[in-house]
Amino acid sequence: MFGLVYATAFAAFAAWLAWFVVDVVMGLRRNVKAARESGLRWIVARTSSILDPIWSYRERYAPFAKRGDVFLVVSPWGCYMANASPNVIHQIATRRTEWVKPIEHYSVVEHFGPNVVTTEGSTWRDHRRVSNTSFNERSNAVVWKESIRQSGEMVKAWGRRVGNSNEVMWIEDVYPDVATTSLHIISRSGFGVKLLWSGEEQVNEEVEEGYEKFSSHEPMGKHTMTFKESLHTMLRDFVWMGVFSKSTLKKLPFKRTKIVWEGYTNLNTYLHELLDLKKAAIAAGLAEKDALDLMVPLITASDSLPSDHNTPKISTTIGTPQILGNAFIFLFAGHETTANSITFLLIFLALNLAAQRRLQHSLDTLLSSLPSNPSDWPYPSTFNKLGNSYLGACINEQLRLITSVTMVPKRCVSPQTLVLDDGKVVKVPANTFQHFCAPSVHRNPTAWPHVKSSLRTPGKANDLDDFIPERWILEDENYHLSSSSSSSSNNNNNNNNKPTTTHTNGDLSGHVTTISELESSSALDIGSSTLYRPPPGAFIPFSDGPRACLGRRFAMVELVAVIATMM
């Protein structure tokens, strides 16, 4: 009896194994054939560093120097395209309907509802079009003022710690405080919620009626966590929501999962309460039309207002789940990425005293004619002045080396024709999954000014792994004005040490970027007319094309204001 069962089980396993081997062999042969016909260089997938999810950060430009800026990795289950070509990145990024975002990979950030990150097609266009109305120069002025205020509060908090004073401060780890500053900025600027520093007392006149629970140092009402605590919990541990379903997470007996569930339920309630406050403000006519409020445009465009309200509904795909989903993604993206950038820039400056001294001298010179109190620095003139200066160069160089977005995924829905840098036309197989490899393209020597590295590191062909803000300064004689720099670099591009173009920054007061403008322009607006402007697709810290980060200008305003205030 048992012998028959074992024999049947063995036969079934052997049949499955045979089928699996045949499927692998046939799949590999089919995909190798497609790779050969594509015209691209290709390799067969095996256990290697390229299969590492963060291989682009580990390997940087080395795999592309060996195989070319675009190549295929073939497996039995499909083709993967590694991409570090600015030209090809720009082609793909601007073909939004042919190269789509694999939104199934983003379900981990959809637990409060669908949002601008996790949707595609017409639904995404609705999210983007509605959300984009909040991002204008009037809104950026709010960000500027709040960034200065919050960074000043952070420095005051440092001074209150034991052993510190206003003149001498010892900070072992800046990230927790920088992350708190960034969270305070997005909460106040984007949602009207003032969060308090430890030791900072709530001033009732500064808190609107109904918002007290969001600013309180202690949980109020039915909450078991403060708004800030629930935010910190979800922003730190949201990945657990991707590992377990909500029903499973709720029942798990572990301490960490219990905290995650408590954070989720509290934040979900807070967001619903915030939504009710925003609805009441709109109904009473108190919502300021052009102010930076990331929820109000979504509410007014949705079906969540009372049917007798006279605000016209402009979207049929946005409801309460979508409003809450976007609120969470704005808090998440607007807090973590900027905090990381500030932290890494401070680290780079601490390691490079010459750059630190030059930055301090530049700021002292530029700000000497302005009021001594940073709160009185006018926007946008001060931002444009600082963004055009050595500070702008330092920020861009940090974003080049430690980018906000590491690997940007796309998948082609049908065979796609691309033109490589040498003019060769290739045909990418249908359903090919690809990445814009940001750490790699940010070190592509054909796109970036570079010279021989001064660091004594074996095998370094250039200084593209080094923090050198001067490469962004058009007047710098080593990177842009000296013909000798080209001959000292190891590359075959005679013009790669020269800027491709300059960018003129006009008066954008009150301007709202439209979807059509986003689709026709992929370059990051760094607000600069004197800094190097890389070729399209070469500088992608906030991605590229129409799906580039909505808040990239928001982030640049915050970065400039915080660093200038701290220095």
Side-chain angles (χ1 to χ4, degrees):
M1 177 69 177
F2 288 107
L4 180 61
V5 172
Y6 289 140
T8 303
F10 179 79
F13 173 76
W16 174 85
L17 182 61
W19 169 85
F20 178 77
V21 170
V22 171
D23 184 62
V24 166
V25 172
M26 296 300 293
L28 184 60
R29 290 183 62 182
R30 180 175 60 254
N31 293 325
V32 165
K33 181 176 182 291
R36 284 175 174 163
E37 293 174 350
S38 72
L40 287 166
R41 297 186 68 175
W42 58 276
I43 60 173
V44 175
R46 59 187 186 279
T47 303
S48 70
S49 60
I50 291 182
L51 299 182
D52 187 329
I54 58 171
W55 69 269
S56 185
Y57 252 132
R58 295 184 187 279
E59 301 294 322
R60 301 177 184 178
Y61 187 70
F64 299 96
K66 179 180 178 181
R67 301 182 180 95
D69 287 349
V70 184
F71 62 89
L72 293 175
V73 181
V74 183
S75 77
W77 301 278
C79 293
Y80 165 77
M81 188 170 78
N83 185 0
S85 165
N87 168 41
V88 175
I89 287 174
H90 186 58
Q91 291 178 60
I92 293 175
T94 52
R95 299 184 194 173
R96 188 176 53 81
T97 57
E98 290 84 9
W99 290 87
V100 299
K101 185 175 187 176
I103 57 176
E104 64 274 11
H105 295 177
Y106 290 83
S107 59
V108 69
V109 291
E110 201 174 41
H111 292 289
F112 290 92
N115 54 70
V116 70
V117 172
T118 65
T119 52
E120 253 294 357
S122 60
T123 303
W124 169 80
R125 289 182 67 89
D126 268 359
H127 284 258
R128 181 84 179 202
R129 175 165 47 88
V130 173
S131 300
N132 196 56
T133 60
S134 293
F135 294 93
N136 55 56
E137 283 299 84
R138 183 176 177 181
S139 299
N140 289 333
V142 177
V143 178
W144 174 261
K145 183 177 181 180
E146 189 63 21
S147 298
I148 290 174
R149 193 184 79 81
Q150 288 295 342
S151 51
E153 291 295 334
M154 176 175 66
V155 174
K156 290 179 184 177
W158 287 346
R160 290 194 294 264
R161 292 179 183 172
V162 176
N164 287 353
S165 67
N166 291 334
E167 291 74 32
V168 180
M169 300 178 188
W170 176 260
I171 312 299
E172 292 185 357
D173 184 3
V174 299
Y175 179 76
D177 297 317
V178 168
T180 297
T181 297
S182 188
L183 182 59
H184 285 196
I185 292 169
I186 184 64
S187 295
R188 182 67 165 174
S189 301
F191 298 91
V193 175
K194 180 183 179 182
L195 301 179
L196 302 177
W197 285 89
S198 176
E200 182 185 7
E201 295 299 325
Q202 179 169 295
V203 179
N204 291 332
E205 301 86 63
E206 295 183 5
V207 181
E208 295 181 32
E209 184 179 354
Y211 285 78
E212 299 87 355
K213 68 179 69 175
F214 298 95
S215 303
S216 175
H217 283 304
E218 299 294 333
M220 296 177 64
K222 57 187 175 183
H223 291 284
T224 59
M225 284 183 172
T226 66
F227 179 61
K228 189 173 176 179
E229 288 171 340
S230 64
L231 269 175
H232 272 305
T233 300
M234 287 307 301
L235 295 174
R236 182 191 64 215
D237 295 327
F238 75 94
V239 68
W240 286 98
M241 302 292 293
V243 176
F244 302 106
S245 66
K246 293 176 186 176
S247 58
T248 301
L249 187 67
K250 182 179 180 180
K251 299 174 183 177
L252 289 175
F254 310 110
K255 180 179 179 181
R256 174 53 62 87
T257 55
K258 285 181 177 294
I259 293 174
V260 174
W261 180 251
E262 183 183 7
Y264 168 76
T265 53
N266 274 269
L267 183 56
N268 189 52
T269 303
Y270 276 121
L271 291 178
H272 275 91
E273 291 170 341
L274 186 59
L275 176 60
D276 291 339
L277 288 171
K278 299 295 183 184
K279 287 181 183 179
I282 295 171
L286 300 177
E288 199 172 351
K289 182 179 179 182
D290 295 322
L292 176 53
D293 193 311
L294 300 174
M295 291 184 81
V296 167
L298 292 162
I299 295 170
T300 56
S302 72
D303 58 3
S304 61
L305 287 173
S307 58
D308 58 347
H309 195 269
N310 58 9
T311 301
K313 311 301 184 292
I314 61 175
S315 171
T316 58
T317 61
I318 296 177
T320 296
Q322 289 74 20
I323 296 170
L324 300 183
N326 279 294
F328 175 73
I329 208 66
F330 289 144
L331 284 166
F332 173 65
H335 147 259
E336 185 187 47
T337 54
T338 312
N340 287 338
S341 294
I342 294 170
T343 301
F344 282 118
L345 178 54
L346 293 176
I347 292 172
F348 281 132
L349 291 172
L351 295 173
N352 191 328
L353 294 182
Q356 184 182 147
R357 285 192 291 268
R358 181 171 178 179
L359 174 59
Q360 188 65 68
H361 175 73
S362 173
L363 290 174
D364 290 344
T365 301
L366 292 171
L367 299 173
S368 61
S369 61
L370 296 178
S372 58
N373 186 348
S375 298
D376 297 326
W377 293 346
Y379 181 90
S381 58
T382 309
F383 169 71
N384 290 335
K385 182 188 296 186
L386 297 179
N388 280 320
S389 73
Y390 195 70
L391 174 56
C394 288
I395 291 172
N396 287 339
E397 184 70 348
Q398 179 277 315
L399 290 170
R400 186 185 68 83
L401 291 172
I402 311 290
T403 181
S404 305
V405 177
T406 307
M407 309 280 272
V408 181
K410 300 282 184 181
R411 184 178 60 243
C412 60
V413 296
S414 61
Q416 292 296 310
T417 299
L418 297 171
V419 181
L420 303 185
D421 295 340
D422 59 3
K424 181 180 179 180
V425 178
V426 298
K427 191 171 185 179
V428 182
N431 297 315
T432 294
F433 186 92
Q434 76 90 53
H435 275 131
F436 301 159
C437 302
S440 304
V441 73
H442 286 181
R443 292 166 173 81
N444 188 326
T446 66
W448 295 96
H450 60 277
V451 296
K452 185 176 180 180
S453 177
S454 61
L455 301 179
R456 297 180 180 179
T457 305
K460 281 181 69 71
N462 53 53
D463 67 349
L464 289 174
D465 285 332
D466 307 340
F467 178 76
I468 311 290
E470 285 74 13
R471 81 176 78 251
W472 291 86
I473 307 298
L474 293 181
E475 293 80 9
D476 188 88
E477 61 180 13
N478 291 322
Y479 289 93
H480 298 283
L481 300 181
S482 173
S483 59
S484 62
S485 63
S486 181
S487 60
S488 66
S489 59
N490 298 329
N491 62 83
N492 296 321
N493 188 336
N494 293 329
N495 296 317
N496 69 330
N497 289 81
K498 301 177 182 179
T500 56
T501 185
T502 57
H503 172 60
T504 302
N505 183 64
D507 182 10
L508 300 178
S509 300
H511 176 71
V512 179
T513 306
T514 65
I515 290 292
S516 60
E517 289 174 313
L518 289 166
E519 291 179 348
S520 63
S521 176
S522 64
L524 174 68
D525 179 9
I526 57 177
S528 172
S529 59
T530 61
L531 299 184
Y532 172 64
R533 180 156 182 145
F539 188 46
I540 54 172
F542 300 104
S543 190
D544 194 22
R547 292 211 67 139
C549 176
L550 266 172
R552 56 198 183 280
R553 179 81 170 182
F554 182 118
M556 292 302 294
V557 171
E558 180 179 336
L559 286 167
V560 169
V562 170
I563 297 298
T565 303
M566 290 179 61
M567 296 292 288

